[in-house]
Amino acid sequence: MRTRRKPDWLKMRPPSGQRFTDIKSTLRDRNLNTVCEEANCPNLGECWSGRDGPGTATFMLMGDRCSRGCNFCDVQTGGMEALDPDEPANVAEAVAEIGLDYVVLTSVDRDDLPDQGASHFAETIREIKRRDPGILVEVLIPDFQGEPEHVRKIIDAEPDVIAHNIETVERLQWPVRDRRAGYEQSLSVLQQVTDESDIHTKTSIMLGLGEYHHEVYQTLSDLREADVDIVTFGQYLQPSRSHLDVFEYVHPDVFETWRRVAEDELDFLYCASGPMVRSSYKAGELFVDALLREGSSVEEARQAARAAAGQ
């Protein structure tokens, strides 16, 4: 397939500066991983702002190797190691040292573990909250093979937001995702969180994989049927030539259209939508921060998030 040239709206500056260097040093000192680095996120430099701004960072728990092989993801597959029992405390210490006021926890899939790592994930949430109850904690969780008791361990740890990504429309689940993932399974995870708690739910959809507009609309409708609160849209970017090809680079105007559909027509609380948006994108955290910490109305929180993100 002919290589597609990236349009100008996808060009980003590489991360740099003392703040970036300090954060990276803290993470290495504690042997911690972030999805920001492992997945080569283009927004890394923007989000790692800590005390100098509305800091966010996405820690990747349970190692840097995944038991699944999704064809869009740059995280390595296989060769998983035993869990580090000190990781929950190390993450909490790093959060305090960096000065984060909003932290996102995600993880690799660990289908090799008895509870797929749910207990370890939950303990990390509790450790952060124990040290500073004022920190907002968002978790981006695996599907835990759709096992309700494992999802419940995350719910019982009481994070502020539980996210699980449906990634793409139903037709494209394979080959985009590992065959052990699934559209209905992901919807069931999100529905369980809504049914069993008052925790805000969130998901993310990639565009540019060959989806049709009517399929995107159906996916949004299904997510609202599951009472998902927040959705993000971003451009799929090919991590390497061994990953799925980009079908198309979606124009920013299309992303804006989907934002309006999600918020104005389907009544999602918030939608962050743009080519460079990722599931742990800063604008989403700014919305939740304004809603939960500041007590703003939904509309005020939307406006604050867009103003801070320069939208």
Side-chain angles (χ1 to χ4, degrees):
M1 182 176 178
R2 179 175 58 86
T3 302
R4 295 176 180 273
R5 183 177 179 180
K6 288 184 181 179
D8 290 341
W9 63 74
L10 286 173
K11 294 177 181 176
M12 297 284 287
R13 293 182 187 174
S16 62
Q18 188 60 45
R19 184 64 177 161
F20 172 80
T21 302
D22 291 345
I23 291 175
K24 192 164 187 175
S25 175
T26 297
L27 297 170
R28 295 298 83 79
D29 288 347
R30 289 175 171 76
N31 195 32
L32 298 174
N33 302 299
T34 67
V35 76
C36 319
E37 296 170 290
E38 297 299 330
N40 292 315
C41 180
N43 302 313
L44 190 154
E46 178 184 356
C47 292
W48 284 13
S49 52
R51 289 191 182 92
D52 299 327
T56 66
T58 302
F59 293 88
M60 190 170 74
L61 307 178
M62 301 190 284
D64 60 358
R65 289 178 171 267
C66 188
S67 61
R68 299 189 186 181
C70 296
N71 289 315
F72 69 89
C73 182
D74 205 25
V75 176
Q76 296 183 70
T77 301
M80 293 79 67
E81 298 182 351
L83 296 181
D84 177 4
D86 295 327
E87 185 174 52
N90 285 338
V91 170
E93 289 171 4
V95 167
E97 181 173 331
I98 295 170
L100 298 174
D101 49 21
Y102 194 116
V103 61
V104 183
L105 305 177
T106 189
S107 75
V108 291
D109 282 280
R110 291 299 301 263
D111 298 282
D112 57 307
L113 300 175
D115 69 350
Q116 286 99 66
S119 297
H120 185 89
F121 207 135
E123 179 56 30
T124 307
I125 299 167
R126 291 192 178 95
E127 190 66 37
I128 293 170
K129 289 287 192 178
R130 251 195 305 268
R131 292 170 186 244
D132 186 349
I135 292 176
L136 295 179
V137 178
E138 176 180 321
V139 296
L140 173 58
I141 62 172
D143 58 29
F144 297 117
Q145 298 180 7
E147 296 290 343
E149 64 268 29
H150 302 333
V151 177
R152 194 166 296 121
K153 290 178 181 179
I154 304 298
I155 296 170
D156 290 345
E158 299 184 339
D160 299 284
V161 178
I162 295 180
H164 172 65
N165 288 346
I166 202 158
E167 307 292 8
T168 188
V169 300
E170 186 171 16
R171 176 178 59 87
L172 296 175
Q173 291 289 306
W174 172 259
V176 172
R177 303 173 79 190
D178 186 279
R179 290 188 185 275
R180 285 165 286 185
Y183 189 80
E184 292 298 333
Q185 184 165 273
S186 289
L187 287 174
S188 73
V189 169
L190 292 161
Q191 184 70 67
Q192 181 184 349
V193 177
T194 297
D195 290 344
E196 298 184 8
S197 75
D198 294 324
I199 298 169
H200 288 297
T201 51
K202 179 179 175 181
T203 196
S204 185
I205 301 170
M206 295 178 289
L207 299 182
L209 288 161
E211 66 285 334
Y212 295 109
H213 291 330
H214 73 273
E215 293 176 310
V216 177
Y217 189 90
Q218 184 61 57
T219 302
L220 285 174
S221 298
D222 292 340
L223 291 166
R224 280 306 293 139
E225 185 68 24
D227 293 316
V228 173
D229 297 309
I230 300 166
V231 63
T232 68
F233 286 98
Q235 169 71 52
Y236 167 65
L237 297 175
Q238 186 184 38
S240 76
R241 292 186 178 182
S242 63
H243 290 80
L244 286 175
D245 290 320
V246 175
F247 183 83
E248 68 174 328
Y249 290 115
V250 179
H251 194 276
D253 290 349
V254 176
F255 283 97
E256 174 61 15
T257 296
W258 284 122
R259 182 195 68 77
R260 293 179 182 276
V261 169
E263 290 185 355
D264 299 342
E265 182 177 341
L266 296 176
D267 294 325
F268 283 87
L269 289 184
Y270 182 69
C271 175
S273 184
M276 303 308 293
V277 168
R278 296 296 177 263
S279 56
S280 302
Y281 185 60
K282 186 174 72 173
E285 281 82 74
L286 292 170
F287 170 79
V288 174
D289 190 274
L291 194 68
L292 298 184
R293 201 194 306 273
E294 305 297 333
S296 304
S297 68
V298 170
E299 186 55 39
E300 288 170 340
R302 287 175 179 174
Q303 292 175 2
R306 292 199 177 99
Q311 294 180 321

